[in-house]
Amino acid sequence: MKINNKFSPEEEVLIMEQIKCLHNELCSIQSSFLGIISVPVAVYGLLIYYALQLDCKLSPSRPANTLFIVLPFLFLLSVFNILKYTIKMLGIGAYVRHLEGQLNASHEKGLFIWRSHLINANGYAMVGGVVQLPSFFAIAIFLGYEFFKNINRCNLFPYCKLVFTGLLVIQIIGILYMLLICLTQSRTVKYWCTKISTLDIPTENLHSEYPLFLHSPIQKTMNHTGFKRIINSIEKVLFPPTMEE
């Protein structure tokens, strides 16, 4: 990608086609958000109502309401899907902003200002996200309370309390990690966009498969002599040299 240079008409056409393609993908993701958010909310409402009714009818021989043990996993699964698509949208938005900035620099005019200046006008993106947090926290607190109340009485199978609690902790850790990725995704994509222009062989030097905040520690580990010896030993075991070699 050129920086501070004029693009040829053919290059501008290619960039515009890529922007259109990314715009269509953004529209597709946004349209699917209605189903991702609205359908689970309706289903959760019915499930919670049914679970509360069932709570009143449980016999002493089966005191645990297993529906409340499963509901936190379904709730976090929906949150995971929302974060997954949000991360993708943030990455696409950052890359489109980079492409538009290149075209602006080429023409030395502010031809594209939506992604760079106006998309967060009035802070609607931040406000729209913050005002949803109380709803998520309220549902999470309620489901968490019901989960721990019922998991203590769970007798589905041996060690079911330990198994379900451990799985829930793992899922919560995964959601927190996804939140961290969500917060850093836009900045990370912008960082790599600036690096692409300075890399001699981008396919070999572009390491965007892990988060930017882990980039330096991972690179140091991979360059360590001991780590390289371990990798070489594993490769020799998995791919032993043939007689021809």
Side-chain angles (χ1 to χ4, degrees), residues 9-23 99-100 103 107 111-112:
E10 292 79 10
E11 290 174 325
E12 289 191 2
V13 170
L14 290 175
I15 293 175
M16 289 302 301
E17 287 298 323
Q18 189 171 33
I19 290 176
K20 289 179 182 178
C21 178
L22 293 172
H23 174 73
L99 295 177
E100 291 178 349
L103 291 175
H107 288 272
L111 299 177
F112 300 95

Side-chain angles (χ1 to χ4, degrees), residues 6-7 29 49 64 72 109 114 160 166 189 219-220 226 229-230:
K6 297 289 184 179
F7 286 108
I29 294 173
Y49 173 79
K109 293 180 181 179
W114 172 251
C160 65
V189 172
Q219 285 293 97
K220 291 180 179 178
R229 289 177 180 174
I230 294 174

